[in-house]
Every structure is written in structure tokens, then in C-alpha cells.
Amino acid sequence: MKMDHVAIQVDDVRESVDWYVERFGCGIIYCDHTWALLQFDNIKLALVVEDEHPFHIAFETDDILLGGSRHRDGSYSVYVDDPTGNKIEVINYEQ
């Protein structure tokens, strides 16, 4: 299992995408008004708005996941809480 992305909450997705692209030269994998996914050399960064997506860290797995949901990009994931209550997403892109 490897770390796939980190998701942070932002006030304005488009404004934040522009800032990260300008400052750090990352690529844009996806962007709409509720979330964006940016590609850096070693990891992806998700920008999410409050009440649409939880802020979290995500780990990619090849295992079949049960009890989760399918996303717009075709991935499938489940969210769990770590012992402190942080959101952890376990994501599978091939399921």
C-alpha cells in the first residue's frame, strides 16, 4: 500500500488551484467547484470544500474494497477513522 494523496479544505477551489499551479508548477488532474486533484512529482494533493468532501489522507490499494463508494473518476474507496478521529481514505483505481 502506498500513500496516494492528501486532501485539504479550501475556501475557493479554482483560486487555490491557480495558486498551487503558479507557486509549485503542479499539474491539474481534475478540477470543478467542489474539488480538485493536483499532481506533484511524488504525491497528489486534493483541494476540497467544506461539507462536500472530508479532509483526509489516502492510501492506494489493489485489494477489493467493500462498503465504500464509486467516485466520478471511476475509483472506489472507503473512509475509516484512525484512533484520533482523522479521516483515512483507502482507494482502489481498478475495482
Side-chain angles (χ1 to χ4, degrees), residues 31-64:
C31 181
D32 70 21
H33 68 283
T34 67
W35 76 284
L37 191 59
L38 306 177
Q39 180 68 60
F40 292 82
D41 289 341
N42 60 337
I43 196 167
K44 292 176 271 193
L45 175 65
L47 306 174
V48 300
V49 294
E50 189 176 8
D51 297 331
E52 285 287 328
H53 308 278
F55 55 92
H56 61 274
I57 61 172
F59 296 92
E60 183 180 352
T61 183
D62 293 331
D63 296 338
I64 299 298

Side-chain angles (χ1 to χ4, degrees), residues 19-36:
W19 188 86
Y20 278 94
V21 169
E22 181 180 314
R23 298 277 175 136
F24 301 107
C26 58
I28 302 169
I29 297 172
Y30 181 85
C31 181
D32 70 21
H33 68 283
T34 67
W35 76 284

Side-chain angles (χ1 to χ4, degrees), residues 2 13-14 34 49 56 60-61 71 74-75 78 83 86 91-92:
K2 69 176 184 173
V13 173
R14 186 73 244 180
T34 67
V49 294
H56 61 274
E60 183 180 352
T61 183
H71 300 285
S75 64
V78 295
N86 296 300
I91 191 165
N92 180 309

